Amino acid sequence: MTQSVVVQVGQCGNQIGCCFWDLALREHAAVNQKGIYDEAISSFFRNVDTRVVGDGGSISKGKICSLKARAVLIDMEEGVVNEILQGPLRDVFDTKQLITDISGSGNNWAVGHRVFGSLYQDQILEKLRKSAEHCDCLQCFFIIHSMGGGTGSGLGTFLLKMLEDEFPEVYRFVTSIYPSGEDDVITSPYNSVLAMKELNEHADCVLPIDNQSLFDIISKIDLMVNSGKLGTTVKPKSLVTSSSGALKTRPKKPFDAMNNIVANLLLNLTSSARFEGSLNMDLNEISMNLVPFPQLHYLVSSLTPLYTLTDVNIPPRRLDQMFSDAFSKDHQLLRADPKRSLYLACALMVRGNVQISDLRRNIERLKPSLQFVSWNQEGWKTSLCSIPPVGHSHSLLALANNTCVKPTFMELKERFMRLYKKKAHLHHYLQVEGMEESCFTEAVSSLSALIQEYNQLDATKNMPVQDLPRLSVAM
């Protein structure tokens, strides 16, 4: 069994990370009721004997003593990490695996990347090495960060390059939260485009998630709950109810519920690596099968059901409907419509009591409505994990390498150019040592080149698929 390390960077990264560890513990508690430290738990948790001083207290088998997350928590402000350390999950994190500062990056990629990157490089490297040493077979680093702020975008992409240099054989999966057009950080287009260049060059797979999509999904859940559609009932003490059971008036940005969706995405993504199933998919297989060209490693994710473990008890969707939902634009975690764009490849990760025949039948049913590139008409990768999410009979995560990501990148470039043409706020970046205007021109050129690659693929859409002659075998 392989292990993975989660590196959560910045306010957004740490808040999503906290949600992830909470849900992971609940999921393993539901499956592992005897409290035995097994291979499934070992993929994300160490079993530590707290009576042993130092690092010698790891226990590889037997009863669970004290679980420690395979995580590194980094933020250049103390607030969120301190909140985690005072919350119910405080004992899950090894305090030696935290790095915080007090000043913050001031929504400036250059401060996060150049200033804090060089200042904390040795410390970060030490924590990463320590996490790796605790693994028998380290397969993957999961980086969780946002693109719009300073620490998540700047320091988050700085450590991506460090991971590539230090652990070149270990996969780097990045969950990147992209800002919406109405983002309250004025400099977020600069931060996002500067970060994009680093993601293009140093990530193996990027799961781009759009704040606006998450907000829209949560709004739809609210609407269903308040209208009483589909026999929906609200779970007590959930993210949509207060302790008294009355509906909460949601804050303008319900980040807790939004973070929960991203945490569930990561749980489902790793389920096949953690639990048994008739058709397992290793994390390295995702990159191998879904990324045909090095830079086109952006995978659009969709999740069904969307409310796993969180807000509402909704009657389970019929199995076939679940597959249809995964390809509808309402279930995408990025504002995109993959059915109207071109697929390079697609992975379906199914959990629960689902048969391989169900999987094949639904792929055949959906195929005519989906356009794949001519040279990869059978570009499907599938997995079946027998353990469903807590509270559900089955679930589906779809990962699509699809040209529908292009509009998100084009919109980001437009927002960047609106600021850059006026040289607005540029001086905040240029006063950081090592930052020059060429950093901006190179970053936007990198993004333009990526968009152009998607344009070239889109130009092949609707082209006839040629049946290549097959080799005849004499019998």
Side-chain angles (χ1 to χ4, degrees):
M1 186 68 80
T2 58
Q3 293 86 42
S4 297
V5 173
V6 176
V7 187
Q8 38 201 71
V9 191
Q11 178 179 332
C12 174
N14 277 291
Q15 286 171 334
I16 291 171
C18 190
C19 259
F20 169 77
W21 294 111
D22 180 35
L23 296 183
L25 284 168
R26 290 197 214 182
E27 187 165 276
H28 283 288
V31 174
N32 184 340
Q33 294 180 358
K34 291 181 179 175
I36 301 296
Y37 184 68
D38 58 13
E39 287 189 333
I41 296 179
S42 76
S43 56
F44 277 114
F45 294 95
R46 293 166 55 218
N47 190 21
V48 177
D49 187 344
T50 50
R51 295 167 299 182
V52 178
V53 179
D55 276 329
S58 289
I59 306 164
S60 58
K61 58 179 82 171
K63 278 277 186 188
I64 291 172
C65 289
S66 176
L67 291 179
K68 295 291 180 189
R70 299 187 191 278
V72 179
L73 283 63
I74 303 169
D75 199 1
M76 295 297 100
E77 291 175 351
E78 294 178 305
V80 174
V81 173
N82 281 350
E83 219 174 281
I84 292 170
L85 295 181
Q86 289 161 15
L89 293 179
R90 59 186 173 276
D91 294 332
V92 175
F93 299 105
D94 184 344
T95 50
K96 295 177 192 152
Q97 292 298 90
L98 318 175
I99 296 176
T100 57
D101 200 291
I102 49 173
S103 57
S105 299
N107 296 324
N108 187 328
W109 179 91
V111 173
H113 198 87
R114 307 272 180 180
V115 177
F116 288 129
S118 52
L119 189 62
Y120 284 98
Q121 181 170 0
D122 293 341
Q123 277 189 55
I124 293 171
L125 202 50
E126 183 201 336
K127 312 283 185 204
L128 293 170
R129 282 177 180 157
K130 186 64 73 179
S131 294
E133 283 167 14
H134 287 309
C135 299
D136 295 327
C137 182
L138 175 59
Q139 186 180 42
C140 183
F141 283 105
F142 284 100
I143 297 97
I144 311 174
H145 73 135
S146 74
M147 299 288 278
T151 301
S153 70
L155 196 51
T157 54
F158 179 86
L159 73 85
L160 198 54
K161 173 74 166 68
M162 285 172 60
L163 290 171
E164 184 181 43
D165 292 341
E166 190 70 18
F167 306 95
E169 304 302 314
V170 182
Y171 284 87
R172 296 171 300 282
F173 271 75
V174 188
T175 303
S176 300
I177 311 300
Y178 281 68
S180 65
E182 294 78 45
D183 191 69
D184 57 359
V185 177
I186 293 169
T187 53
S188 69
Y190 284 161
N191 298 332
S192 300
V193 171
L194 288 161
M196 278 285 294
K197 180 175 183 289
E198 305 298 315
L199 291 181
N200 286 345
E201 294 173 2
H202 306 300
D204 287 308
C205 277
V206 179
L207 303 175
I209 293 166
D210 166 350
N211 254 334
Q212 190 59 48
S213 282
L214 296 176
F215 185 68
D216 291 346
I217 287 165
I218 296 303
S219 300
K220 279 174 196 150
I221 293 173
D222 272 354
L223 198 61
M224 288 168 74
V225 169
N226 288 319
S227 65
K229 281 184 184 174
L230 299 176
T232 307
T233 57
V234 187
K235 289 184 179 177
K237 297 186 182 176
S238 79
L239 294 171
V240 264
T241 58
S242 65
S243 54
S244 63
L247 282 178
K248 274 184 189 173
T249 306
R250 271 205 191 283
K252 196 167 182 191
K253 296 283 183 187
F255 288 118
D256 282 348
M258 289 160 72
N259 293 341
N260 233 27
I261 292 173
V262 184
N264 273 306
L265 157 68
L266 294 171
L267 268 188
N268 287 328
L269 180 67
T270 58
S271 62
S272 197
R274 291 180 291 131
F275 299 116
E276 291 299 314
S278 55
L279 197 61
N280 274 19
M281 190 195 303
D282 234 348
L283 291 166
N284 59 350
E285 292 181 73
I286 295 172
S287 177
M288 184 63 70
N289 288 275
L290 264 62
V291 182
F293 306 111
Q295 285 206 320
L296 302 185
H297 54 234
Y298 294 87
L299 308 179
V300 179
S301 49
S302 65
L303 206 53
T304 175
L306 285 161
Y307 342 94
T308 312
L309 270 176
T310 59
D311 300 329
V312 284
N313 285 321
I314 286 179
R317 303 289 266 169
R318 284 184 303 107
L319 192 61
D320 287 10
Q321 185 60 48
M322 185 176 81
F323 280 90
S324 299
D325 286 347
F327 291 91
S328 81
K329 63 179 183 181
D330 290 343
H331 280 69
Q332 309 304 315
L333 304 192
L334 191 75
R335 275 176 303 163
D337 190 355
K339 288 179 96 168
R340 292 179 178 273
S341 300
L342 191 65
Y343 280 86
L344 280 71
C346 183
L348 298 178
M349 306 182 79
V350 184
R351 300 182 64 180
N353 185 21
V354 180
Q355 305 304 313
I356 292 176
S357 56
D358 295 321
L359 206 48
R360 288 181 181 147
R361 185 185 74 252
N362 275 287
I363 288 174
E364 290 305 317
R365 177 175 67 85
L366 291 161
K367 247 185 186 177
S369 64
L370 309 173
Q371 247 200 310
F372 275 72
V373 285
S374 58
W375 41 264
N376 199 24
Q377 287 289 296
E378 300 300 321
W380 297 88
K381 182 68 185 167
T382 54
S383 80
L384 284 176
C385 168
S386 56
I387 307 294
V390 177
H392 289 274
S393 56
H394 44 246
S395 74
L396 169 62
L397 167 64
L399 297 175
N401 194 337
N402 188 297
T403 59
C404 66
V405 296
K406 186 178 71 174
T408 297
F409 298 156
M410 289 170 68
E411 185 188 323
L412 189 58
K413 182 184 169 185
E414 283 167 24
R415 289 172 54 213
F416 174 95
M417 292 309 297
R418 277 202 295 272
L419 284 178
Y420 189 64
K421 278 176 183 172
K422 300 288 185 188
K423 301 287 190 272
H425 302 281
L426 211 57
H427 62 289
H428 298 301
Y429 292 78
L430 299 181
Q431 67 192 16
V432 174
E433 190 178 343
M435 279 299 285
E436 297 171 1
E437 266 202 58
S438 60
C439 298
F440 288 82
T441 53
E442 285 167 15
V444 79
S445 294
S446 169
L447 182 55
S448 298
L450 182 66
I451 292 167
Q452 186 53 32
E453 286 199 55
Y454 285 112
N455 280 335
Q456 287 169 0
L457 284 166
D458 269 337
T460 68
K461 212 161 61 165
N462 301 319
M463 283 175 66
V465 179
Q466 293 180 336
D467 276 336
L468 297 173
R470 292 180 181 273
L471 184 68
S472 300
V473 181
M475 299 298 284

